[in-house]
């Protein structure tokens, strides 16, 4: 039982460190991620940080993987909800609003942008980023399919890019979340419906 408690404690410490990294990235960017800052933010010793993560790359990779796993679960669950044969534009708007994440951008909403930019710089992070975008694409495909949009698989990537672009615009300008919902719904209106 002592060994299981040690493993559980180590796992909790590791998770606290990852959560701290994501908070730091969201608040001040990747450049602010230092072992001392992580230790303070996670309320662990400096030695714990270096024990659990040997390199900065490992820290960023594990943080991105953790974020991706959470996002993939979340968006896959949302996609599974989009299978009702009576799914309509109103339900699509509700799902998009959930994706938009409410009215306030906090560090949790900012961190993914930082991580994706870092993945652009570091090809070792790209596979994890690709997994996350695959989950976004799945959700977009399900929504577009349910709305009767023609060729939803081909358009899913464009819809996801539109959401990310609108999210980035919202982040930079403080635009309301409703703008994102309106923009995505405009896309579905100008896309020809499937013919029976």
């Amino acid at each position: 039982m002592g060994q299981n408690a040690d493993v559980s404690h180590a796992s909790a410490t590791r998770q606290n460190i990852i959560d701290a990294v994501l908070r730091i990235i969201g608040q001040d960017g990747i450049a602010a991620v230092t072992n001392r800052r992580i230790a303070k933010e996670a309320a662990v010793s400096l030695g714990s940080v270096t024990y659990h993560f040997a390199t900065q790359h490992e820290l960023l990779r594990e943080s991105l993987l953790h974020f991706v796993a959470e996002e993939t679960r979340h968006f896959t669950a949302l996609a599974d909800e989009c299978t009702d044969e009576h799914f309509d534009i109103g339900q699509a708007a509700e799902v998009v609003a959930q994706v938009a994440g409410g009215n306030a951008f906090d560090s949790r909403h900012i961190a993914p942008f930082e991580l994706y930019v870092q993945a652009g710089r570091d090809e070792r992070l790209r596979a994890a980023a690709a997994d996350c975008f695959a989950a976004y694409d799945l959700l977009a495909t399900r929504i577009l399919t349910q709305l009767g949009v023609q060729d939803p698989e081909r358009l899913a990537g464009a819809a996801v890019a539109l959401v990310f672009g609108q999210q980035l615009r919202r982040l930079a300008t403080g635009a309301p979340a409703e703008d994102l919902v309106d923009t995505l719904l405009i896309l579905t209106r100008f896309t020809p419906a499937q013919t029976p």
Side-chain angles (χ1 to χ4, degrees), residues 78 81-98 139 143 146-147 181 185:
L78 283 176
E81 292 174 16
C82 298
T83 55
D84 181 2
E85 62 187 49
H86 302 296
F87 189 84
D88 61 18
I89 202 81
Q91 289 170 299
E94 287 177 22
V95 172
V96 172
Q98 286 184 54
L139 176 59
I143 291 172
Q146 290 299 88
L147 293 176
V181 175
L185 296 181

Side-chain angles (χ1 to χ4, degrees), residues 63-85:
S63 297
L64 180 57
L65 287 172
H66 172 73
F67 172 79
V68 164
E70 284 192 344
E71 287 287 273
T72 301
R73 274 193 299 275
H74 175 66
F75 285 105
T76 302
L78 283 176
D80 289 344
E81 292 174 16
C82 298
T83 55
D84 181 2
E85 62 187 49

Side-chain angles (χ1 to χ4, degrees), residues 77-146:
L78 283 176
D80 289 344
E81 292 174 16
C82 298
T83 55
D84 181 2
E85 62 187 49
H86 302 296
F87 189 84
D88 61 18
I89 202 81
Q91 289 170 299
E94 287 177 22
V95 172
V96 172
Q98 286 184 54
V99 171
N103 292 322
F105 254 115
D106 58 16
S107 62
R108 174 144 174 72
H109 292 94
I110 297 170
F113 289 98
E114 291 274 351
L115 287 165
Y116 293 138
V117 168
Q118 187 64 23
R121 294 184 187 112
D122 185 345
E123 65 184 40
R124 297 171 296 180
L125 299 175
R126 289 185 189 158
D131 288 345
C132 204
F133 276 95
Y136 299 148
D137 288 350
L138 173 63
L139 176 59
T141 299
R142 293 269 176 88
I143 291 172
L144 294 171
T145 299
Q146 290 299 88

Side-chain angles (χ1 to χ4, degrees), residues 4 9 12 29 40 44 52 54 77 94 100 106 128 130-131 134 142 188-189:
N4 287 341
H9 177 70
K40 182 177 178 184
V44 299
H52 289 283
E94 287 177 22
D106 58 16
D131 288 345
R142 293 269 176 88
T188 64
R189 289 186 199 116

